[in-house]
Amino acid sequence: AKAPVRVTVTGAAGQIGYSLLFRIASGEMLGKDQPVILQLLDLPQAQKAVKGVMMELEDCAFPLLAGMIATDDPAVAFKDTQVALLVGARPRGPGMERKDLLTENAKIFTVQGAAIGQYADPNVKVLVVGNPCNTNAYIAKATATKFGRVKPGNFTAMLRLDHNRALSQLAAKSGRDVSSLKSLVVWGNHSPTMYADYRYVTSNGDNVKALINDETWNRDTFLPTVGKRGAAIIEARGLSSAASAANAAIDHIRDWVLGSNGEWVTMGIPSDGSYGIPEGIIYGFPVTTANGEYKIVQGLEIDEFSRDRMNFTLKELEEERAGVADLLA
Ligand code: NAI
């Protein structure tokens, strides 16, 4: 039998946590032969609720669940962890400015980054889901790597929900099965500024952009629909997306750990300067994954429309980075 993998989930008592933990424990993220130990972090006032979730996890009698702990101490939660899902974050409250949201979250991700940098397994794979996820990942990376144990490339942000949302819209428009669609890219920030680039998408060898043959639809329907999907879910459900976010987190980690078999997937990763994106910024890129590593898909032609969109979402990330610069100094 395989040795268990330690998986940390923060915000374990939250909505996404409730959709995520059971799927991790059932083997959907790391494989049906991979035991896991869950290390659950949440705030002191949420510990009772975390205990309730753990009771339900027990009641599932998952064969792969080799252990679990709950804590409000990041040093304990991240100890020896090999996969860390940073879901918990400070939500935007009434009257809260964007700048306040950034600063409040910067504090959380500085503390958690420091704990990862000191206590996690040096090869830990970190996925930040809590928003603003690209900049939170940037902060965790900057703080953690000061300790010299964990590499910057191990810090990623979740663009996979945008990727999956875009795939579904393309499937509906083209009439093709969603499973047949390959080679989508979502560039940039996980925010309405992200750029879902469908120029390379194929379905059974056919170019999907050519099949759709409607640039007005791309600009005026597709991009706004994907960009504002989160708000549309809140409007319809009265709550933000949780099950689809958890599903995307599972997809992101599963592909990173187990490989994408040559297919492109979107991950928010520290730029290496590819496509003119400044080094270190956490930006959505097309990647392929194998042997636990991701590699940016190179050589894609960037036309003028795409470059404008890529710069627009980059500009927002640069502003967010400037907004937290003093906290990282
Ligand atoms: P929620 O409010 O239901 O749960 C958040 C949990 O995090 C709560 O249990 C809270 O106590 C906990 N928490 C807050 N601060 C914490 C800290 N410092 N340490 C540990 N735990 C802490 O929120 P939900 O719906 O689960 O969403 C979580 C985050 O995910 C939000 O920031 C949301 O914006 C983000 N999100 C990101 C998506 C993406 O595509 N990247 C998609 C959907 C949501």
Side-chain angles (χ1 to χ4, degrees), residues 306-317:
S306 300
R307 181 53 71 187
D308 284 351
R309 292 280 175 158
M310 287 166 70
N311 283 342
F312 184 59
T313 187
L314 172 62
K315 189 163 164 273
E316 183 181 49
L317 282 169

Side-chain angles (χ1 to χ4, degrees), residues 91-293:
R92 192 167 187 158
M96 204 169 161
E97 296 293 333
R98 190 181 166 77
K99 169 85 184 157
D100 302 331
L101 183 75
L102 266 175
T103 318
E104 287 305 311
N105 278 296
K107 290 182 201 151
I108 296 173
F109 288 85
T110 305
V111 170
Q112 295 186 3
I116 291 168
Q118 294 172 87
Y119 308 116
D121 183 289
N123 294 313
V124 63
K125 288 179 163 56
V126 181
L127 169 62
V128 180
V129 174
N131 280 319
C133 66
N134 295 55
T135 297
N136 289 341
Y138 176 83
I139 292 162
K141 164 177 74 92
T143 320
T145 49
K146 285 180 187 160
F147 297 92
R149 296 173 65 248
V150 182
K151 293 199 189 77
N154 296 29
F155 291 81
T156 68
M158 193 165 92
L159 272 290
R160 187 62 175 264
L161 181 54
D162 309 278
H163 182 101
N164 289 346
R165 284 168 172 166
L167 283 178
S168 267
Q169 296 297 322
L170 288 170
K173 179 71 179 175
S174 64
R176 296 295 178 98
D177 286 346
V178 75
S179 63
S180 75
L181 303 181
K182 317 252 180 261
S183 309
L184 174 72
V185 188
V186 182
W187 304 98
N189 198 7
H190 168 67
S191 94
T193 66
M194 55 94 235
Y195 171 45
D197 182 353
Y198 78 143
R199 294 175 301 143
Y200 297 98
V201 177
T202 60
S203 164
N204 306 320
D206 303 322
N207 179 267
V208 166
K209 177 176 190 273
L211 276 180
I212 293 172
N213 191 25
D214 187 350
E215 262 312 278
T216 312
W217 174 81
N218 178 44
R219 198 184 51 234
D220 298 343
T221 306
F222 175 60
L223 292 173
T225 301
V226 177
K228 295 179 197 156
R229 187 70 166 180
I233 301 282
I234 293 176
E235 169 63 22
R237 209 170 82 87
L239 289 166
S240 59
S241 10
S244 54
N247 180 68
I250 300 255
D251 285 351
H252 178 117
I253 295 289
R254 187 200 56 228
D255 287 346
W256 191 1
V257 172
L258 299 175
S260 68
N261 302 311
E263 305 295 342
W264 304 6
V265 292
T266 300
M267 289 172 71
I269 56 172
S271 176
D272 62 356
S274 293
Y275 296 102
I277 305 306
E279 212 176 315
I281 288 257
I282 307 265
Y283 194 90
F285 280 102
V287 300
T288 55
T289 54
N291 307 315
E293 311 263 333

